[in-house]
Amino acid sequence: MARFRLDDRVAVVTGGGSGIGAAICRAYAEQGERVVVADVNPAGGQRVADELGEAGWFHAVDVTDPASVEAGVAAAVERFGRLDVFVNNAGLGLVGTVQETQRADWDRLLNVNVTGVFNGCRAAVNQMLRQQPRGGVIVNIASVAGQIGVARRFAYCATKGAVIAMTRELSVDYVKDGIRCNAICPGTVYTPFVEGYVERFHADTKEQTIQELHARQPIGRMGRPEEVADLAVYLATDEAGFMTGSAVVLDGGWTAQ
Ligand SMILES: NC(=O)c1ccc[n+]([C@@H]2O[C@H](COP(=O)([O-])OP(=O)(O)OC[C@H]3O[C@@H](n4cnc5c(N)ncnc54)[C@H](O)[C@@H]3O)[C@@H](O)[C@H]2O)c1
């Protein structure tokens, strides 16, 4: 039996229509998994699902709405039979010190990055306990911003710290139920998320800003979405069966300094 395979398993990936989420959808399908691409953006989500052919299915999901997330899980069960892996990947960024952070922006960020993960975990655990055989894997996409202070990312750091805390706590509660839960903490990864940040805040100095973002990692470059996806594959496989409650850093050495 080949190792690191996910044949016939079923995943839901929130924010699967772009960047890291899209790369996770592709990598899971490559390893034999069927994937519900759960994204609030129908254009991106449908495009990724179409790429996956029979293995993919798009379901419009807004992670801030618990009923919408539950419907995404129900769609996976209806179409593919069960839920083995749930990836809480959907997330937003926000630039600002505590003084620069407006209450409305703070609320919006917490709603997606924290409440969205709460909604995802609840819907996933409910299904994983209900099905036979019981259990499954939850993968939460946190960030190095949950481990260290990243300048002018007050709210973003708060949300990603919360994701790591939720990961650890959930892993303790359900370890006897066959549910494993781990977080990935990427450094800077070149995706539309980063492109949007550069466009919005550094439109006049794009090239220089991109060079600085590469240089932030001692390894000398930003990460690739596929590199995060490969770790998400590992965490979902039986080979990672001893691993739960971890926050795995994947950051080109950024936090090792
Ligand atoms: N790119 C990086 O440098 C980096 C680094 C560390 C962590 N992360 C985290 O990785 C995750 C993915 O980031 P990315 O860079 O691929 O971003 P991205 O902007 O390319 O993709 C995010 C996806 O999430 C979707 N989304 C947003 N709000 C949603 C909602 N309410 N419900 C459902 N879907 C929603 C978007 O439509 C989009 O398809 C985020 O949680 C982000 O915080 C990114």
Side-chain angles (χ1 to χ4, degrees), residues 94-98 100 145 148-157 197 216 254:
L94 185 66
V95 175
T97 63
V98 65
E100 292 163 341
I148 59 170
V150 179
R152 299 188 63 231
R153 298 293 188 283
F154 177 77
Y156 187 68
C157 286
Y197 158 77
R216 185 146 80 161
W254 183 0

Side-chain angles (χ1 to χ4, degrees), residues 168-257:
R168 294 203 177 109
E169 198 284 341
L170 194 149
S171 75
V172 171
D173 283 342
Y174 296 101
V175 67
K176 297 275 196 278
D177 295 296
I179 297 176
R180 294 188 295 106
C181 180
N182 294 288
I184 300 178
C185 302
T188 323
V189 180
Y190 198 61
T191 68
F193 180 95
V194 169
E195 282 165 9
Y197 158 77
V198 174
E199 280 295 335
R200 182 152 172 223
F201 295 100
H202 302 277
D204 298 339
T205 54
K206 260 193 231 170
E207 277 313 305
Q208 188 198 329
T209 304
I210 287 175
Q211 287 319 313
E212 284 166 10
L213 289 172
H214 282 304
R216 185 146 80 161
Q217 286 65 223
I219 216 159
R221 64 169 175 85
M222 288 188 249
R224 303 184 191 99
E226 295 73 23
E227 292 170 323
V228 183
D230 287 344
L231 180 53
V233 166
Y234 171 70
L235 292 175
T237 61
D238 291 344
E239 282 69 23
F242 194 52
M243 193 158 173
T244 194
S246 292
V248 188
V249 170
L250 183 80
D251 69 351
W254 183 0
T255 56
Q257 299 170 100

Side-chain angles (χ1 to χ4, degrees), residues 58-208:
F58 168 67
H59 192 91
V61 167
D62 179 350
V63 296
T64 66
D65 173 6
S68 171
V69 183
E70 278 159 26
V73 168
V77 174
E78 192 181 320
R79 176 131 192 113
F80 297 128
R82 57 183 277 117
L83 177 72
D84 297 293
V85 182
F86 192 97
V87 183
N88 282 301
N89 164 77
L92 304 177
L94 185 66
V95 175
T97 63
V98 65
Q99 291 171 293
E100 292 163 341
T101 301
Q102 302 302 315
R103 177 60 197 259
D105 293 331
W106 165 268
D107 287 345
R108 185 173 49 89
L109 202 75
L110 263 78
N111 208 15
V112 176
N113 292 12
V114 180
T115 308
V117 173
F118 163 61
N119 291 335
C121 289
R122 258 178 82 91
V125 167
N126 283 340
Q127 174 57 33
M128 288 170 182
L129 295 182
R130 185 186 303 141
Q131 64 196 10
Q132 286 302 330
R134 285 173 110 207
V137 175
I138 297 174
V139 178
N140 294 330
I141 308 302
S143 167
V144 293
Q147 308 256 16
I148 59 170
V150 179
R152 299 188 63 231
R153 298 293 188 283
F154 177 77
Y156 187 68
C157 286
T159 65
K160 293 304 185 178
V163 172
I164 294 169
M166 288 189 280
T167 301
R168 294 203 177 109
E169 198 284 341
L170 194 149
S171 75
V172 171
D173 283 342
Y174 296 101
V175 67
K176 297 275 196 278
D177 295 296
I179 297 176
R180 294 188 295 106
C181 180
N182 294 288
I184 300 178
C185 302
T188 323
V189 180
Y190 198 61
T191 68
F193 180 95
V194 169
E195 282 165 9
Y197 158 77
V198 174
E199 280 295 335
R200 182 152 172 223
F201 295 100
H202 302 277
D204 298 339
T205 54
K206 260 193 231 170
E207 277 313 305
Q208 188 198 329

Side-chain angles (χ1 to χ4, degrees), residues 2-27:
R3 302 175 74 218
F4 304 109
R5 293 288 304 174
L6 294 166
D7 295 302
D8 301 326
R9 303 212 180 151
V10 180
V12 171
V13 180
T14 71
S18 174
I20 292 170
I24 293 174
C25 291
R26 293 185 191 108

